[in-house]
Amino acid sequence: DQQVKQNSPSLSVQEGRISILNCDYTNSMFDYFLWYKKYPAEGPTFLISISSIKDKNEDGRFTVFLNKSAKHLSLHIVPSQPGDSAVYFCAASENYGGATNKLIFGTGTLLAVQP
Amino acid sequence: KAGVTQTPRYLIKTRGQQVTLSCSPISGHRSVSWYQQTPGQGLQFLFEYFSETQRNKGNFPGRFSGRQFSNSRSEMNVSTLELGDSALYLCASSPLTGTGGDGYTFGSGTRLTVV
């Protein structure tokens, strides 16, 4: 079963506008969430994270929102730039501070920012 | 500083053969995790090694195995290859374990094609 779901395989946005990428999860034991960006032929790179005790975390143009009651998180990119075009993965951990680094990833959303 | 190095970058193998992939983590990192990426499935956790001990294992058959050496370098092995094993295999290193994915740095991956 897919514990982390990204239901939109792709998203197209105009340069300068807001990009909103969504992620849903089913496991209430997840206590840490992350977003990664991946370009073709490269490994994923870390973007931003959020602990389950918070509902928002901001880093420059990137903001992640967490709604625990809805088991939903979203990544906002404002303003969007052509260089943001990549696949974005949502990931979750249920063992923060524990004995493993195992992450559960979503299937990814391909963001295309049009100039 | 050098990043995570995975070798080889590309590999073509025949069904039934076995393959060994290598991952050299960032210097000082003691945790190495392996993921399989296939189209439509996102990244699936294979296993994590920390200080030469397997900390966690994903839901993969016993044909998938790994190990970690005293210098933190890790190898994963897949025996009796099947067509469905064709994927991008990613390795991620981290200074510690139990960090929820913080500090994860991914390599560029090994693209395995089974024919």
Side-chain angles (χ1 to χ4, degrees), chain B residues 63-75:
Chain B
R63 300 185 296 107
F64 291 81
S65 62
R67 58 178 174 168
Q68 186 180 34
F69 302 95
S70 59
N71 62 357
S72 293
R73 189 178 71 86
S74 177
E75 289 181 347

Side-chain angles (χ1 to χ4, degrees), chain A residues 23-82:
Chain A
C23 178
D24 297 296
Y25 62 95
T26 57
N27 187 345
S28 58
M29 298 301 292
F30 287 146
D31 54 12
Y32 204 73
F33 302 89
L34 309 95
W35 284 93
Y36 286 85
K37 178 169 74 172
K38 186 179 184 301
Y39 294 117
E42 293 183 13
T45 54
F46 170 76
L47 265 179
I48 193 169
S49 60
I50 187 167
S51 164
S52 61
I53 62 173
K54 296 186 175 181
D55 54 20
K56 177 183 173 181
N57 189 25
E58 196 170 349
D59 183 2
R61 296 187 297 115
F62 303 92
T63 303
V64 57
F65 295 92
L66 175 62
N67 183 334
K68 282 203 311 183
S69 60
K71 294 192 176 68
H72 177 84
L73 65 156
S74 61
L75 173 68
H76 292 210
I77 306 173
V78 183
S80 301
Q81 300 172 354

